Amino acid sequence: MKKSMLIWTLALTMIAFMAVPSAMAGEVEVLHWWTSGGEAKSVAVLKDLLEKEGHTWKDFAVAGGGGDTAMTVLRSRAVAGNPPTAAQVKGPQIQQWGDEGVLADLGRVAKAEKWDDIIPGVVANVMKYRGQYVAVPVNVHRINWMWVNPEVFKKAGAKVPTTWAELEEAAKKIQAAGMIPIAFGGQDWQEATVFESIVIGVGGADFYRKALVQADPGALGSPTMVKAFERFKNLKQYTDKNAPGRDWNLATAMVIKGEAGMQFMGDWAKGEFTAAGKVPGVDYLALPMPDTDKYFLFNVDSFIFFKQKAVAAGQAAEAMARLILQPRFQEVFNINKGSIPVRLGMPKDNFDAPAQRSMDDFVATAKSGGLVPSMAHEMAVYPEVRGAIFDVVTNFYNSDMSAADAAKRLASEVAAAK
Ligand code: GAL
């Protein structure tokens, strides 16, 4: 074949490929609440991967840790008949959106990618509506962590606590040395995050399940719950006066900068340390919240997809769902986010020590019964019950209500919301 003909043949073949693309490029509008430094870095990984496949990412970020504002915005867009392509929605709420009949069926991509083999069974059940995948899980976060600045402890001559008594002792020393013991963000979801970790520390996993998963009035109003409320209120004296309303990542920044000794927060806080270039075991310590090392309060982020009229939009959405569970995304995203992969069988080597510990504890607590869903992060109860718990917890923390009254109110308000 002559050289000029060869070039022509190659050129024509290329044009033919370009004219019949295997997938149509589409746009996905993605609602999420990942706006802090570490979170934004994490979600950018998904955007990049999707754009590499030729699709367009339209960012629909609604700030507000814990996602309650994002959920309000999502509902109003859906009511107006104009939902985004995908939205960060978790736990039992997935079933509620399923009942609305608005979710896209992810069965085709789930089958092709063998999701049933790579997603843990307990998580897969939450992602399915009437037996069909309608959501894709992203990660596993652990709630009951304590983030420590070792320099602050050293300056105060305090020991890093593993029990509640040690925690109070350390907090007193840090305060006496003129520093803030606990970096706290006074927002209802952050209060509930700390509170539920205290509940499991005081009552254990079975009590936690009865109270905050089954919403059993007997457990909610019990002396054990009174003790949990007492411990929770007791922390307040070790926080600073600017705590009310503070965002969680600003509280993390106080620990990073050495303004405060510790923070109790899920491991998205680790994403902030990572984004600031801090090294675990050197610049900061990550340990289970005192009294909770046997427990793993889990929180799985996931995305739902709304039914699409345009074929291209449907294909872009499917591409996003597929990419989320691929090993490359699972690794890079979770390293940035502070969480661990939800995909089974991922190698641990590239993860840091706190993540490796989390991976081991996830498996160990699944066997021991210490693995329980987070109420505060929408894994355990329907939004109405969660809302009732949040109301009592925040009213108690921000008033002079007694712990006994709080437990009584918790039992009655949850019963009314059920
Ligand atoms: C959680 C969510 C995490 C993290 C956190 C703070 O509910 O699961 O991914 O974003 O809120 O916004």
Side-chain angles (χ1 to χ4, degrees):
M1 200 188 289
K2 272 194 188 151
K3 200 173 162 199
S4 59
M5 234 174 91
L6 182 69
I7 291 170
W8 263 110
T9 317
L10 278 175
L12 285 173
T13 319
M14 276 172 69
I15 289 166
F17 268 119
M18 278 155 61
V20 193
S22 54
M24 286 164 83
E27 181 188 86
V28 286
E29 186 185 19
V30 186
L31 179 138
H32 62 89
W33 63 87
W34 289 332
T35 55
S36 79
E39 289 175 332
K41 219 173 120 194
S42 312
V43 74
V45 176
L46 188 55
K47 176 177 186 267
D48 286 353
L49 288 173
L50 200 69
E51 288 182 346
K52 280 205 181 98
E53 295 202 356
H55 302 295
T56 315
W57 174 283
K58 188 172 173 196
D59 204 45
F60 185 7
V62 180
D68 289 318
T69 317
M71 290 304 96
T72 309
V73 172
L74 176 62
R75 270 188 294 275
S76 63
R77 278 278 302 262
V79 167
N82 178 30
T85 324
Q88 191 189 345
V89 167
K90 308 193 288 186
Q93 278 200 65
I94 295 169
Q95 302 304 312
Q96 292 184 321
W97 283 103
D99 289 342
E100 301 289 324
V102 290
L103 297 187
D105 180 354
L106 302 175
R108 193 166 48 179
V109 57
K111 199 165 164 226
E113 300 289 314
K114 302 197 168 58
W115 285 3
D116 275 337
D117 299 338
I118 58 169
I119 304 176
V122 269
V123 177
N125 288 341
V126 181
M127 302 299 137
K128 290 177 181 177
Y129 179 72
R130 301 209 174 128
Q132 295 298 331
Y133 278 102
V134 293
V136 55
V138 180
N139 59 356
V140 180
H141 272 302
R142 185 181 193 171
I143 304 297
N144 50 312
W145 281 108
M146 171 174 70
W147 308 94
V148 167
N149 184 313
E151 271 302 303
V152 172
F153 275 72
K154 210 169 132 201
K155 274 191 214 150
K159 176 177 171 286
V160 177
T162 58
T163 64
W164 200 263
E166 287 174 2
L167 166 62
E168 297 225 19
E169 209 176 294
K172 284 195 181 90
K173 284 195 178 157
I174 296 171
Q175 204 158 42
M179 291 172 290
I180 303 165
I182 299 170
F184 193 79
Q187 296 175 346
D188 61 358
W189 73 271
Q190 293 188 65
E191 290 159 353
T193 299
V194 176
F195 179 69
E196 69 177 11
S197 298
I198 293 176
V199 169
I200 201 162
V202 169
D206 289 342
F207 175 76
Y208 177 97
R209 270 191 207 96
K210 255 199 160 156
L212 299 184
V213 182
Q214 291 149 27
D216 174 78
L220 291 168
S222 68
T224 309
M225 194 56 88
V226 175
K227 189 168 171 204
F229 273 117
E230 278 165 357
R231 274 194 179 181
F232 180 46
K233 189 59 122 341
N234 213 27
L235 288 183
K236 202 170 183 176
Q237 59 186 307
Y238 306 120
T239 63
D240 67 320
K241 66 171 188 344
N242 295 325
R246 177 186 284 137
D247 287 333
W248 67 269
N249 53 320
L250 300 182
T252 311
M254 291 167 70
V255 179
I256 294 177
K257 289 189 220 144
E259 292 167 11
M262 59 195 136
Q263 182 190 17
F264 307 117
M265 188 46 61
D267 42 19
W268 46 92
K270 191 169 64 124
E272 299 305 294
F273 285 96
T274 307
K278 302 294 177 194
V279 179
V282 180
D283 304 312
Y284 71 98
L285 308 177
L287 292 155
M289 182 152 164
D291 287 348
T292 74
D293 61 328
K294 295 198 296 286
Y295 311 118
F296 193 121
L297 279 166
F298 72 86
N299 167 26
V300 174
D301 285 307
S302 50
F303 284 94
I304 56 171
F305 295 82
F306 290 88
K307 282 180 185 156
Q308 298 300 321
K309 284 196 199 93
V311 178
Q315 290 194 356
E318 274 194 3
M320 176 174 155
R322 169 172 48 76
L323 287 166
I324 284 175
L325 278 166
Q326 286 191 346
R328 176 90 191 114
F329 173 78
Q330 285 287 308
E331 182 168 304
V332 183
F333 174 87
N334 285 306
I335 285 174
N336 289 330
K337 187 74 167 70
S339 40
I340 58 172
V342 70
R343 183 184 170 116
L344 295 168
M346 288 282 297
K348 284 194 217 158
D349 326 11
N350 291 335
F351 287 87
D352 62 15
Q356 293 197 10
R357 173 180 189 154
S358 208
M359 291 179 193
D360 293 343
D361 287 356
F362 186 71
V363 175
T365 53
K367 284 190 194 131
S368 69
L371 181 66
V372 288
S374 162
M375 176 282 299
H377 293 274
E378 295 174 277
M379 296 290 109
V381 290
Y382 279 111
E384 298 71 21
V385 170
R386 175 175 170 268
I389 299 174
F390 273 31
D391 278 354
V392 177
V393 170
T394 197
N395 280 331
F396 165 75
Y397 188 73
N398 296 296
S399 73
D400 55 9
M401 190 191 300
S402 74
D405 281 350
K408 232 184 268 161
R409 274 182 66 172
L410 192 62
S412 64
E413 293 195 14
V414 166
K418 254 176 157 182

